[in-house]
Amino acid sequence: MKLSIIGAGTMGSVYANNVAKMPGVQPAGVCDLDESRARMAADVCGTNAYTSVDDMLAAEQPDVVCVCLPTYLHKEYVLKLAAQGIHVICEKPIALNAEDAKEMQEACERSGVRLFIGHVVRFFPNYVDALKRAHSGHIGKAGMMHLKRYGSYPQGFDGWYADMGKSGGVVMDLMIHDIDFACAAMGKPESVFAKISRAEGMDYAQVTLKFSEGRMASLTAFWGYPGPFTTQFEIVGTQGVVRFDSNAIQSLDIKVKASEAEAGEAVQVPSSPANHDPYYYEVKHFIECIQSGEQAIVTADDARLAVAVALAAEQSNKLGQPVEVSI
Amino acid sequence: MSKLKIGMISFAHMHAASYLQALLSRADVEVLGIADENEERVRPFTEPNGIAYYSDYNELLKQPIDAVVICSENVRHAELTKHAAQAKKHVLCEKPLGLSEKEMLGMIEVCRAEGVQLMTAYPCRYIPAVRSAKEAVDRGDIGEIIAMKGTNRGTMPSGWFIDRGQSGGGAVLDHTVHVLDIMHYITGSEVEEVYAHSETLFHDVDIDDAGLLHVKFRNGIFAVHDPSWSRPSSFPTWGDVTLEIIGTKGVIHVDSFAQKNDVYSNNATKAEWSYWGDDMDQGLIDGFVDALLQGQPVPITGEDGFLSARVAFAAYESAKMGKTVELKSVN
């Protein structure tokens, strides 16, 4: 299976790293407006670098393309790929609104190609385990969730994350992982209530999702957090709790004395190493779905729902009242 | 040295046992009596300590005591406070102060009119991490506060706590007031708007055991809080009090009972957390006793009790109506 990558920023580089190691996948070009970035990512997976998508598609004839572009460009490129009969793996969020998402889905259906959205949290082993625990009945019936996702303010090409019209902000871009996960655990939310604070270098949101039978989830997300990238969750059921804190799973901790370190400062690097990162499992799963025709564990419909919930949160913040999710 | 003479009314809320310990640890306090209609309940406290027992609290109020500590069922707080105040006794009342805004304002008024002090039992203000967080905020360490997230998640209580007629409410009332008081204490502002869910999700009971509250303070700070009785019986401790404070220049995270040892014993059916941090109940009692002995205002007032309990009542109203509820300023 020949796989190309469009966009060699943070996500494109991660994909390049992973497809380089993936059996049965043949890297078939990396494209970026910035030739040196395209080259760097292409070298990682032993393929050619391009600065023109059309040139790459013509030369490489890929079976599937990973769209790792800023969100506002997803629709344009997914439509282009669908028109050429190429399967698409697109980074999350699928689009900046549910209508665009629907249009992308319909275009792919018409062309008979698959559309997968990279909601990678579904492939993180800690979230997979939690969902398994919640669905197995081990913690009884799940009634309540807490989900948290904090990181530094993302830079990105040209500062596109800071432009609401391009990224959708912290709810659409970051919290959407947890929105999707909450919906995977509890279904479609009935209502959304949100409070969001935005300033330069800071975007912080508190969102409550209300599901059927009174079940609920409390989500917080933060761009501009001064600490290390942090994720936490808990799922509470009638018989128990399953919870996780990314700051409490450091299976490896390397410390270097100040006198030995190059910069002259002591180095501490706690980490949680694994055989593969979750993007590996995500892309592998999508490729297998193309080959088998099976439905993916996270679908484009799921991705569209998450976008609708994120927009409902923005609307609730504006109105100061709960908002129903319309999709 | 003149001793502060104290009577205790009701051990229905077992915080009374801890408050008694804290009172007995002070050389400048004398506990003259314990009133409770249930003698069996208080015998383990009266007899070993040589404290007089009263079946009728009115008899206790006739004794030469300076103050009372009230740990009755919530529904009786107002009546007991009123009678104690009319007997010219200062009052330390267990939370929630009362079961409606009107009732709480009445309690505050009767104490004012009788010239006695009314303190609400919010021991969480005496958690060292909470105090240090307030100091850090006051120093400007994290700039201006933007938002907060709190939790006071506990295990399921039993008895009168889950009888609405005695308690006035479930988890949303029981576990909103502490953290909302900490939020008032730290922000120096009061809640003006509440949006909440109140549900029964985890237990087969006829009262709310789960909730989520969004609140907005008059100074623009917003916050979310989880007051649920959502810790399973298998959880290693009774619950938590956490608070995250998001500021323009930094973030503070308080995990009040993180000072613990992990205990794994074949004599227990579950892993346990053994808390070894400072005793907040001692801090609360010391605050009450010291203020009365020194003739100073009590550190946590009836108004403080009112301000956070009214948020819980507004939460129930919001949950019923499905929209935000405004709180009128009391000033």
Side-chain angles (χ1 to χ4, degrees), chain B residues 146-158:
Chain B
I146 291 169
M148 295 175 286
K149 175 165 181 171
T151 67
N152 184 191
R153 297 171 289 203
T155 38
M156 184 70 190
S158 57

Side-chain angles (χ1 to χ4, degrees), chain B:
Chain B
M1 182 175 65
S2 83
K3 289 190 174 186
L4 189 73
K5 297 183 178 60
I6 289 188
M8 297 188 73
I9 302 180
S10 182
F11 272 50
H13 198 306
M14 285 313 288
H15 282 168
S18 174
Y19 298 155
L20 174 63
Q21 256 345 95
L23 290 165
L24 292 176
S25 77
R26 294 187 59 125
D28 52 3
V29 169
E30 226 177 309
V31 180
L32 285 193
I34 296 176
D36 197 308
E37 65 283 359
N38 182 345
E39 187 172 7
E40 289 311 306
R41 178 158 68 192
V42 295
R43 199 193 304 277
F45 305 100
T46 50
E47 282 190 354
N49 297 306
I51 299 173
Y53 166 73
Y54 296 88
S55 59
D56 179 353
Y57 73 86
N58 288 302
E59 292 303 312
L60 173 61
L61 290 177
K62 289 176 189 161
Q63 305 306 311
I65 52 176
D66 304 300
V68 294
V69 176
I70 296 172
C71 287
S72 67
E73 299 84 351
N74 300 343
V75 71
R76 298 177 64 206
H77 286 174
E79 162 217 337
L80 295 173
T81 296
K82 184 178 156 205
H83 287 137
Q86 286 166 346
K88 306 289 183 196
K89 314 299 182 195
H90 303 290
V91 175
L92 171 62
C93 184
E94 183 54 46
K95 62 85 206 171
L97 187 64
L99 296 188
S100 70
E101 289 199 5
K102 187 167 170 247
E103 188 174 280
M104 293 187 286
L105 291 172
M107 294 164 76
I108 293 165
E109 175 53 26
V110 70
C111 289
R112 190 201 59 75
E114 298 292 346
V116 297
Q117 295 215 63
L118 172 59
M119 176 159 164
T120 310
Y122 283 144
C124 292
R125 286 207 195 183
Y126 293 92
I127 293 166
V130 169
R131 294 186 93 80
S132 297
K134 174 162 175 62
E135 286 162 17
V137 167
D138 290 348
R139 279 195 306 269
D141 289 4
I142 60 164
E144 299 293 321
I145 299 176
I146 291 169
M148 295 175 286
K149 175 165 181 171
T151 67
N152 184 191
R153 297 171 289 203
T155 38
M156 184 70 190
S158 57
W160 65 264
F161 281 93
I162 57 173
D163 172 358
R164 196 181 301 276
Q166 305 274 316
S167 64
V172 169
L173 177 59
D174 191 37
H175 276 186
T176 287
V177 292
H178 285 298
V179 171
L180 262 294
D181 178 64
I182 297 173
M183 288 177 175
H184 283 130
Y185 172 60
I186 286 178
T187 61
S189 184
E190 61 182 73
V191 171
E192 67 171 4
E193 185 189 284
V194 181
Y195 175 77
H197 298 304
S198 166
E199 298 289 340
T200 306
L201 293 177
F202 305 116
H203 309 90
D204 187 17
V205 290
D206 189 25
I207 200 162
D208 53 294
D209 65 4
L212 282 172
L213 288 79
H214 285 264
V215 296
K216 199 171 97 196
F217 292 80
R218 290 198 196 283
N219 61 6
I221 294 170
F222 59 91
V224 64
H225 174 62
D226 177 359
S228 306
W229 291 330
S230 59
R231 301 305 83 179
S233 53
S234 53
F235 205 72
T237 190
W238 66 269
D240 67 13
V241 172
T242 73
L243 181 65
E244 188 168 75
I245 311 168
I246 311 291
T248 51
K249 294 180 187 166
V251 173
I252 294 174
H253 191 82
V254 175
D255 183 359
S256 298
F257 307 118
Q259 294 164 317
K260 60 179 171 62
N261 287 339
D262 298 326
V263 182
Y264 309 95
S265 164
N266 289 340
N267 295 318
T269 54
K270 61 177 186 180
E272 295 162 292
W273 290 344
S274 183
Y275 174 75
W276 46 255
D278 289 329
D279 178 6
M280 60 176 172
D281 288 345
Q282 186 71 54
L284 178 86
I285 291 297
D286 288 347
F288 182 60
V289 169
D290 290 342
L292 295 185
L293 283 174
Q294 293 159 17
Q296 299 291 320
V298 290
I300 308 168
T301 62
E303 284 81 359
D304 291 327
F306 167 84
L307 282 178
S308 47
R310 76 197 297 233
V311 174
F313 301 127
Y316 285 124
E317 197 186 334
S318 168
K320 200 186 295 172
M321 300 194 314
K323 58 181 187 177
T324 57
V325 168
E326 304 290 328
L327 289 174
K328 287 193 188 73
S329 178
V330 279
N331 298 317

Side-chain angles (χ1 to χ4, degrees), chain A residues 50-73:
Chain A
Y50 297 86
T51 54
S52 154
V53 169
D54 291 328
D55 289 353
M56 178 173 76
L57 298 180
E60 301 283 348
Q61 299 287 311
D63 302 300
V64 56
V65 170
C66 298
V67 177
C68 299
L69 295 167
T71 308
Y72 70 101
L73 297 172

Side-chain angles (χ1 to χ4, degrees), chain A residues 146 148 150 208 218 234 321, chain B residues 149 214 226 231 244 324:
Chain A
H146 284 271
K148 166 172 161 176
Y150 288 6
T208 291
S218 169
E234 89 164 28
Q321 292 294 343
Chain B
K149 175 165 181 171
H214 285 264
D226 177 359
R231 301 305 83 179
E244 188 168 75
T324 57

Side-chain angles (χ1 to χ4, degrees), chain A residues 116-133:
Chain A
F116 304 99
I117 307 302
H119 277 286
V120 72
V121 162
R122 299 281 198 106
F123 300 90
F124 271 68
N126 50 325
Y127 288 86
V128 171
D129 176 73
L131 212 49
K132 199 164 70 187
R133 293 278 179 180

